[in-house]
Amino acid sequence: MFSLDELLSIFNDVEEVEMSPSFAFVYSQLVEKGTSAFWLGVRKHALRDWYEQYHNVLSEDVKVEYTPVRIPKRSGGFRTLYIPSDQLKERQRAWLKLTYILVPKVTHAYAFEKRRSLRDALEKHVGNYLFLRLDIKDAYPSIRKKVLDSVLVKHDVPLSVRQMLIRDCYFKGLPQGAPTSGRLFNIVLSQTDLVIAEVIARLHGVYTRYADDILVSFPKDAKISISKTSQVINRYLNKISLELHPSKLRVGRGKLRVLGCVVHSDKVTISRKVRRLYRAMLHNNKTGKISLSKHKINGIKGWLNMVYRSETVPAIGPIS
């Protein structure tokens, strides 16, 4: 187990600010404290709190073991999830909290980021006309260990911390089923996202990413080549050993369906099919016509929360 001094060495010569990051954000809006030194001090204090809370969990010897589970894909075939043991999952949750301290925000990613949702990603594209949805092929399993390590090095993560984190959170790529994988995927792609977004912006377009789903949009009068745009994005992904799925490019003019939502030129809505399905399921469960399992109900709530960025499930209707 690494020491507290090793962890705090990330912010050498920075004065510690005893304030939680969430409170610090509000405080900085009221008082002119938005300097980089202030935020580094807040993060240094957050590191100390994190270490005191989790060093006992991380000090325990835990076997890195996963249970493979195959689930059917909507497009056919199966996807293999690797479910960590309860002890390992507890450690991974500790690592997940650390990632939010080490890398507070990934600019163009909207899944697994605090105070962000699918709705936020889609609303960035409202006002445009041509929509391209692209899918990163075998996204999480394709992340290489050396790529993950090099990204953590760029964020000044000490060697001993990197070694433990990678040991606990890396298994045949980033294992789908581990709580850390989505956030680590965002961190690995953070610089690539920035570069691609800049290229798209030069073409007067907008770029966002929700997990392995990329959405790009352009104004109605934009003179762009769909195939060349896809090739450019693929070229930058190739630099970190990722690639677009060649058969999953979707193009929409005026609107495009994305993960159960529809982004239009002037608004974002939940798709009619999903809206009717969920209304019927919830109604039938309430009236006793069918009994939904707790797992199924949680799935519905999870999807709604993903869209609405809310802990309460609203009436299923257009997103306003």
Side-chain angles (χ1 to χ4, degrees):
M1 176 64 182
F2 49 86
S3 68
L4 177 60
D5 287 341
E6 265 182 292
L7 190 60
L8 296 181
S9 69
I10 298 173
F11 300 128
N12 272 334
D13 305 319
V14 174
E15 185 177 346
E16 193 170 322
V17 179
E18 295 188 14
M19 193 179 294
S20 71
S22 56
F23 184 81
F25 174 78
V26 176
Y27 180 72
S28 67
Q29 307 303 302
L30 302 173
V31 184
E32 222 171 293
K33 289 279 186 179
T35 64
S36 58
F38 170 75
W39 284 107
L40 290 175
V42 171
R43 289 168 64 195
K44 186 172 184 178
H45 178 64
L47 278 179
R48 182 184 296 276
D49 284 350
W50 177 86
Y51 186 88
E52 289 174 356
Q53 184 176 355
Y54 291 108
H55 79 277
N56 287 334
V57 172
L58 296 174
S59 296
E60 297 173 359
D61 289 328
V62 173
K63 186 178 179 181
V64 177
E65 56 183 1
Y66 295 84
T67 301
V69 177
R70 296 177 77 218
I71 60 171
K73 294 182 180 180
R74 284 182 299 174
S75 56
F78 290 87
R79 174 184 288 109
T80 301
L81 303 184
Y82 291 97
I83 309 301
S85 65
D86 290 342
Q87 281 187 306
L88 180 58
K89 189 178 290 185
E90 185 179 10
R91 290 168 72 97
Q92 290 173 342
R93 288 185 179 127
W95 289 120
L96 177 62
K97 293 196 175 185
L98 181 64
T99 68
Y100 289 112
I101 301 171
L102 299 179
V103 189
K105 186 178 180 181
V106 178
T107 307
H108 297 281
Y110 286 82
F112 313 108
E113 296 298 314
K114 292 183 177 180
R115 292 176 288 279
R116 285 190 165 189
S117 69
L118 175 60
R119 182 187 72 179
D120 296 322
L122 299 182
E123 285 184 340
K124 292 286 183 183
H125 300 271
V126 172
N128 281 339
Y129 176 78
L130 178 64
F131 303 101
L132 311 180
R133 181 185 174 186
L134 309 106
D135 180 86
I136 302 174
K137 184 180 179 182
D138 298 328
Y140 292 5
S142 297
I143 296 297
R144 295 184 179 179
K145 189 182 293 186
K146 66 178 182 180
V147 173
L148 174 58
D149 185 64
S150 67
V151 170
L152 295 175
V153 168
K154 290 176 183 175
H155 288 285
D156 301 317
V157 182
L159 174 61
S160 56
V161 181
R162 296 199 314 269
Q163 288 175 333
M164 279 191 68
L165 188 154
I166 290 172
R167 185 201 66 187
D168 288 347
C169 304
Y170 190 92
F171 179 77
K172 298 182 179 181
L174 295 176
Q176 289 180 282
T180 46
S181 294
R183 187 87 216 297
L184 289 175
F185 186 73
N186 283 350
I187 292 171
V188 169
L189 264 74
S190 57
Q191 189 58 40
T192 302
D193 283 335
L194 282 171
V195 174
I196 296 174
E198 287 174 4
V199 172
I200 298 299
R202 288 191 214 116
L203 300 171
H204 308 290
V206 176
Y207 168 93
T208 61
R209 180 176 55 78
Y210 194 87
D212 57 357
D213 278 283
I214 291 172
L215 186 61
V216 179
S217 65
F218 299 95
K220 193 170 186 176
D221 57 353
K223 296 179 180 178
I224 62 106
S225 164
I226 293 172
S227 61
K228 286 184 179 179
T229 301
S230 179
Q231 288 169 14
V232 167
I233 294 172
N234 207 33
R235 186 161 66 244
Y236 286 110
L237 289 174
N238 289 164
K239 293 182 179 182
I240 52 173
S241 304
L242 295 174
E243 63 177 333
L244 293 175
H245 202 298
S247 65
K248 288 193 176 180
L249 170 64
R250 299 289 180 268
V251 180
R253 289 174 173 81
K255 67 178 181 179
L256 183 70
R257 187 168 296 163
V258 182
L259 300 176
C261 295
V262 182
V263 56
H264 304 258
S265 296
D266 59 345
K267 61 184 175 181
V268 177
T269 63
I270 294 176
S271 73
R272 186 176 300 169
K273 180 180 178 181
V274 171
R275 192 160 61 241
R276 286 175 174 171
L277 172 64
Y278 284 172
R279 274 180 179 161
M281 290 174 70
L282 294 173
H283 174 74
N284 289 339
N285 184 64
K286 186 177 180 180
T287 57
K289 290 182 180 179
I290 61 170
S291 178
L292 294 180
S293 67
K294 184 178 178 181
H295 176 74
K296 195 74 173 179
I297 292 173
N298 286 339
I300 294 171
K301 289 182 177 180
W303 184 87
L304 290 169
N305 290 337
M306 175 183 81
V307 174
Y308 282 91
R309 189 163 34 99
S310 170
E311 292 303 317
T312 58
V313 179
I316 304 172
I319 302 173
S320 57

